[in-house]
Amino acid sequence: MMTIEDLEKEIPELLEYTKSMPSEIRRSAFIKIYPPGRLIHQKDCELHFFGIVAKGENRVINEFENGKIYMIETNKAIDFIGEVTLLAEMPRTSVTIEAVTECTVIYISRKEAENWIRNDSHILRLMAKRTAFKLYRSSYNNGLKLYYPPAFLLADYLVRAYESSLSEKTDAVFPENGAFILQKIRERLCEELGMNIKTLDRTIRSMQKDGYFSLTKGKISFGYEEYKKMKAFITTAKG
């Protein structure tokens, strides 16, 4: 069975989050691994456990009663699960969190987490910093989907995805011809961009025709020149 110590050896950066964890919490903590697509955290559920995401990427979504899903953001490890609910002293969760890639999460009980952050300014500061970063990112982009056209939103999304893959040196998305291939199904793109499927398909056809990217087996693909063209388009659209 995997332990916190095993994860600390595998992921040295994790020590910054766990080095001050009290020994009694270490003993009672447990680790859970979620495969891609599995729900980690359900909206409107009682928060019984606080989590530290040691590995993996997750997405935060808001689910509505009519079945619609709004994608709020994606987060990569190291991250927290339930920190907003905990800091707000609310009983129930406000969002749903889903694993995008395989996620490894360290869980401790809510009561133990509350005692820990009450007595340890280091972990409290890390939680506050992470929460503030998410709020800053959300505030910075707030209104983007309301006031920019679909082509701008898609170009902005593709540019950020391309730049992220370069910073992570993710070889899997770069075949031998050097093209970047977006590994997302249309439904997921609709959720993340806030578009309906008809608008997205129309936007893809138009941008493909204008030479911003190609379609490879139904997936959006483009190289460095197309990336620069989309960057120029975004800059012009922003004025």
Side-chain angles (χ1 to χ4, degrees), residues 91-106:
R92 296 180 180 275
T93 57
S94 60
V95 294
T96 293
I97 299 177
E98 178 186 275
V100 175
T101 63
E102 183 177 270
C103 289
T104 302
V105 184
I106 302 166

Side-chain angles (χ1 to χ4, degrees), residues 59 69-71 145 157 184-201 204:
R59 69 176 190 142
I69 292 176
Y70 178 78
M71 212 283 290
K145 295 177 182 178
Y157 182 94
K184 292 285 178 74
I185 61 174
R186 298 289 173 92
E187 289 76 10
R188 179 62 62 83
L189 264 181
C190 286
E191 293 173 8
E192 297 190 15
L193 292 171
M195 297 181 195
N196 61 50
I197 192 70
K198 289 183 179 179
T199 300
L200 178 60
D201 284 342
I204 288 174

Side-chain angles (χ1 to χ4, degrees), residues 67-79:
K68 298 293 184 180
I69 292 176
Y70 178 78
M71 212 283 290
I72 299 172
E73 61 188 1
T74 59
N75 295 304
K76 297 178 181 178
I78 296 168
D79 193 22

